[in-house]
Amino acid sequence: MAKRNATAAIIGAGDYIGAEIAKKFAAEGFTVFAGRRNGDKLAPLVGEVQAAGGKIFARSLDARKEEEITAFLNDADKEAPLEVCIFNVGANVNFPILDTTERVFRKVWEMACYSGFLAGREAARLMLPRGQGNIFFTGATASLRGGRGYAAFASAKFGLRAVAQAMARELGPKNIHVGHLIIDSGVDTEWVRQRRIEAHGPDALNDPDALMPPASVANAYWQLYEQPRSAWTFEMEIRPFKETW
């Protein structure tokens, strides 16, 4: 593994997608900074990355708090120049509109949109003086359409997409690649597996191609990172080959 003098910050380094992104960039020689709400849950990821010879710093991070995002990214940049920032906070919830409380709507927006704005802005602040960098955001089917029960989630994801698009148009000419990855599929996580079983019965998991492996998402982010600036993608949609769309 060739070491790089650069860091990749993963905001929302959960057990599945975020962890796979962290492992991929660590395997490619980046020093990884991984943050999630409960930092204690990052211990298995740290062990796996270090066992493979990678370098990782992991800690608790509430992405909705400006001072925490700023400190997290500044610390990453002090370790080595921040070259990649990936915002991967989820907040996927489903409530009928009359059951969507003010608190739910506001919290989902804070998690999936407002915190993405904070992460993108602070990453850009560090990257602009060097005139290079990559800022990527995780989107979903809800980034493009509002589904039944997803008023809170879709509005936040719509907003995050708008933030990313505005940033891409402003920062692209300054050599900072801003990308938005739409995951149009259920990802193979324990939560999604349980939801599929509840909705479709015990046979719902018989098809191994029905759900997207988290490692496939990580590889898509790596493809975005590797693009030459003469052919940058702003928005990439990914889905399994069997997915109806």
Side-chain angles (χ1 to χ4, degrees):
M1 172 175 38
K3 298 293 185 180
R4 301 169 186 257
N5 182 37
T7 56
I10 316 302
I11 297 168
D15 295 333
Y16 297 97
I17 294 175
E20 290 298 330
I21 296 169
K23 287 187 285 186
K24 175 62 177 175
F25 278 81
E28 296 291 347
F30 282 86
T31 296
V32 170
F33 269 65
R36 64 182 293 180
R37 184 80 65 84
N38 185 346
D40 292 341
K41 293 183 178 180
L42 288 166
L45 172 62
V46 171
E48 193 170 348
V49 168
Q50 291 178 341
K55 187 174 182 180
I56 183 171
F57 295 87
R59 71 194 203 199
S60 296
L61 173 67
D62 187 339
R64 300 168 300 173
K65 295 183 178 178
E66 183 176 32
E67 66 277 11
E68 290 194 24
I69 283 287
T70 301
F72 179 75
L73 294 178
N74 282 344
D75 287 349
D77 194 61
K78 290 173 185 174
E79 180 66 26
L82 180 67
E83 188 167 325
V84 181
C85 177
I86 298 178
F87 178 79
N88 183 59
V89 174
N92 187 346
V93 297
N94 182 287
F95 289 101
I97 191 65
L98 297 186
D99 295 333
T100 303
T101 64
E102 180 276 338
R103 183 179 185 277
V104 164
F105 192 93
R106 177 166 42 84
K107 290 296 183 184
V108 170
W109 172 78
E110 285 179 350
M111 292 172 65
C113 183
Y114 171 67
S115 56
F117 151 71
L118 291 176
R121 186 194 67 190
E122 291 309 303
R125 194 186 306 280
L126 295 166
M127 294 173 181
L128 277 170
R130 290 191 291 269
Q132 66 178 45
N134 302 267
I135 304 171
F136 301 144
F137 299 90
T138 298
T141 307
S143 303
L144 299 178
R145 65 176 185 265
R148 184 177 302 166
Y150 289 104
F153 183 59
S155 63
K157 282 298 185 181
F158 264 65
L160 181 67
R161 183 179 186 236
V163 169
Q165 193 173 83
M167 286 181 56
R169 292 181 172 189
E170 179 179 345
L171 300 178
K174 298 176 181 178
N175 201 35
I176 295 175
H177 185 186
V178 179
H180 184 244
L181 183 68
I182 294 177
I183 304 174
D184 184 30
S185 166
V187 178
D188 192 1
T189 67
E190 186 60 33
W191 181 73
V192 171
R193 283 172 166 261
Q194 290 304 315
R195 285 191 62 186
R196 287 182 67 88
I197 290 173
E198 291 168 6
H200 305 293
D203 295 333
L205 303 179
N206 289 349
D207 185 353
D209 296 314
L211 297 177
M212 182 182 294
S216 296
V217 181
N219 285 331
Y221 271 126
W222 183 253
Q223 291 166 15
L224 279 175
Y225 168 74
E226 286 201 304
Q227 287 180 336
R229 66 180 183 177
S230 58
W232 275 347
T233 294
F234 163 66
E235 192 157 75
M236 179 188 290
E237 295 182 46
I238 56 173
R239 59 182 64 85
F241 70 99
K242 289 188 175 182
E243 184 77 19
T244 302
W245 63 289

